[in-house]
Amino acid sequence: MKPVILHSDMNNFYASVEILYDPTLRDKPVAVAGDEEARHGIVLAKNDIAKRFGIRTGQVLWEARQQCPGLVCVPAHYERYLAFSAQARGIYTSYTDQVESFGLDECWLDVTGSVGLFGEGPAIADDIRGRMKRELGLTVSIGVSFNKVFAKLGSDMKKPDATTVITPENYRDKAWSLPVSDLLYVGPATTRKLNQYGITTIGELAQADPDLLYWLLGKNGIMLHQFANGQDHSGVRRYYAVPPMKSIGNSTTAPRDLVSEDDIKITLMALCESVGARLREQNCLCSTVALGIRDNRLLSYDRQAKLNRPTANTLDIWETAVELFRRHHTGREPVRSLSVKASGLTPADGVVQLSLFPEEQKAQRRADIDRTLDKIRGKYGYHSIRRAIALVDPALDLDAKGEHIIHPIGFLGTLHE
């Protein structure tokens, strides 16, 4: 059967959810914003009225307010977005079990096997749009096509609350005249490179010499050439399939510049608590720890170290991260943000081999402590029990795990599965 792929994109998702909770915002320019006091003061999302003033996602708030003096900034409520995202997926899975997330507000659906029950692709898309409005109070734009890339392109072409169909017969007419930047994975840097060689539209990309694209962009150039020609054959992952995890990490921008070693240790402990807890949730061990540092001049670098033994112990990860910082941050510049990532993941078999060696006994004691902390925090919340070092400056002891929104593996992660 000819594939029938849908891509559903919830319009202005964060802002739309906030307006549902406060209908007085409906006719005002609204931006969902980060916490300015914690130096996260950027636009996370905006509604259509704010867009007309040129407000952009990622824009700093002081600049956004200058562009739009009447801008209403509301804080993000991730628990709300997660709840609405889960309800939307409940609607999607009533049509197919092949539902693949692409962030909280976007999903691909493969309805090839569902057309006999629910009608053709456009009819299913229209039915979903109607249900989303009735049941959730949100609008979605849906692209209907024969592959994932053009389905996403279709959902972007007409907003809000629209169905756009791209077929093998009309994709040249509908897609090729669009700017090349509209194609999936053609970001600003790639757009600039292509534009320098006269490739400004998707059609020009489709007709470009593959050898030139390979020279310019490497393997990604060939991939984008195939995308422009409708040659994407990647499948939509089944909703209940658990994707393999390659790494687990977390990062934060500190509420103030980190100037002392205690500042660094406290912040790294909060990040390592999150990484360790998530490793244990996934029943994984890591063999490599990576540390990312950005100083107050916004200069960034990453360093990593191999562990002597795979672990999910918070203190093992923390000690490695602290040692990486001491070894590599030799300058005196204050630190603005930090990240910790655990990689080289392997399954934990759940069987503990007792040992007489001191290092093994130490690791087992740490594992016992972590399990106890996980149980207490799971029942009473993260701040119900703290490491002693966090008491030096409680303001730096963030609940990194609770505030972190986990995104699924991106499209490129499934391309060749």
Side-chain angles (χ1 to χ4, degrees), residues 301-316:
Y301 59 92
D302 299 282
R303 297 293 184 269
Q304 67 179 32
K306 191 87 170 174
L307 301 175
N308 292 329
R309 59 190 296 278
T311 187
N313 293 348
T314 295
L315 284 178
D316 292 347

Side-chain angles (χ1 to χ4, degrees), residues 213-416:
L213 295 175
Y214 184 82
W215 174 78
L216 194 60
L217 303 171
K219 292 181 180 179
N220 284 343
I222 302 302
M223 177 188 73
L224 295 176
H225 183 263
Q226 292 171 341
F227 286 178
N229 282 287
Q231 297 169 8
D232 163 37
H233 305 293
S234 57
V236 177
R237 180 183 285 114
R238 296 191 182 278
Y239 181 67
Y240 299 102
V242 179
M245 300 188 73
K246 296 183 179 179
S247 65
I248 290 176
N250 215 332
S251 64
T252 187
T253 297
R256 60 173 174 79
D257 285 350
L258 308 177
V259 294
S260 69
E261 185 165 295
D262 278 346
D263 291 345
I264 298 297
K265 287 181 175 180
I266 296 168
T267 306
L268 285 178
M269 179 60 77
L271 294 174
C272 293
E273 293 268 34
S274 165
V275 172
R278 289 167 57 199
L279 281 169
R280 294 187 291 275
E281 283 180 0
Q282 299 296 325
N283 197 36
C284 287
L285 304 176
C286 72
S287 59
T288 301
V289 172
L291 172 68
I293 301 170
R294 174 177 289 185
D295 63 28
N296 65 349
R297 302 170 300 170
L298 302 184
L299 297 178
S300 304
Y301 59 92
D302 299 282
R303 297 293 184 269
Q304 67 179 32
K306 191 87 170 174
L307 301 175
N308 292 329
R309 59 190 296 278
T311 187
N313 293 348
T314 295
L315 284 178
D316 292 347
I317 299 168
W318 177 76
E319 287 172 352
T320 304
V322 171
E323 180 58 30
L324 282 169
F325 182 86
R326 287 173 175 163
R327 192 185 312 154
H328 296 289
H329 191 70
T330 54
R332 297 296 179 183
E333 296 81 10
V335 172
R336 179 179 176 85
S337 60
L338 292 167
S339 67
V340 175
K341 183 174 72 172
S343 59
L345 305 189
T346 56
D349 58 16
V351 177
V352 178
Q353 175 66 49
L354 297 179
S355 172
L356 298 176
F357 296 105
E359 283 303 311
E360 290 297 322
Q361 292 177 337
K362 179 181 176 182
Q364 290 165 21
R365 287 196 300 271
R366 288 182 170 184
D368 291 339
I369 292 171
D370 283 336
R371 280 193 293 270
T372 302
L373 289 175
D374 292 343
K375 288 179 182 178
I376 294 172
R377 287 171 170 162
K379 187 172 183 179
Y380 299 107
Y382 176 80
H383 289 113
S384 61
I385 185 167
R386 289 178 162 180
R387 307 268 181 178
I389 192 173
L391 301 178
V392 176
D393 189 343
L396 296 177
D397 184 30
L398 72 154
D399 178 7
K401 181 174 181 289
E403 296 174 5
H404 183 70
I405 303 302
I406 303 172
H407 293 285
I409 289 179
F411 174 80
L412 288 179
T414 66
L415 189 59
H416 300 297

Side-chain angles (χ1 to χ4, degrees), residues 106-226:
E106 301 181 41
C107 276
W108 279 290
L109 295 77
D110 187 335
V111 296
T112 308
S114 305
V115 295
L117 292 172
F118 303 107
E120 297 298 323
I124 295 175
D126 291 341
D127 197 43
I128 289 173
R129 289 196 298 113
R131 288 186 61 185
M132 292 288 282
K133 280 188 286 188
R134 292 192 305 272
E135 298 177 28
L136 302 186
L138 301 174
T139 63
V140 294
S141 293
I142 300 180
V144 183
S145 192
F146 57 99
N147 64 45
K148 291 166 68 174
V149 170
F150 281 164
K152 173 157 175 57
L153 183 66
S155 70
D156 292 333
M157 287 176 66
K158 190 174 181 181
K159 296 178 180 289
D161 192 21
T163 297
T164 302
V165 182
I166 300 178
T167 68
E169 294 74 32
N170 71 10
Y171 77 85
R172 293 176 181 83
D173 295 330
K174 285 205 168 187
W176 279 16
S177 61
L178 297 175
V180 70
S181 57
D182 286 358
L183 193 65
L184 185 64
Y185 285 111
V186 180
T190 300
T191 298
R192 286 193 295 271
K193 286 184 179 180
L194 292 172
N195 288 173
Q196 288 174 354
Y197 287 83
I199 301 172
T200 60
T201 67
I202 294 175
E204 289 169 343
L205 175 62
Q207 297 172 308
D209 183 349
D211 290 337
L212 168 65
L213 295 175
Y214 184 82
W215 174 78
L216 194 60
L217 303 171
K219 292 181 180 179
N220 284 343
I222 302 302
M223 177 188 73
L224 295 176
H225 183 263
Q226 292 171 341

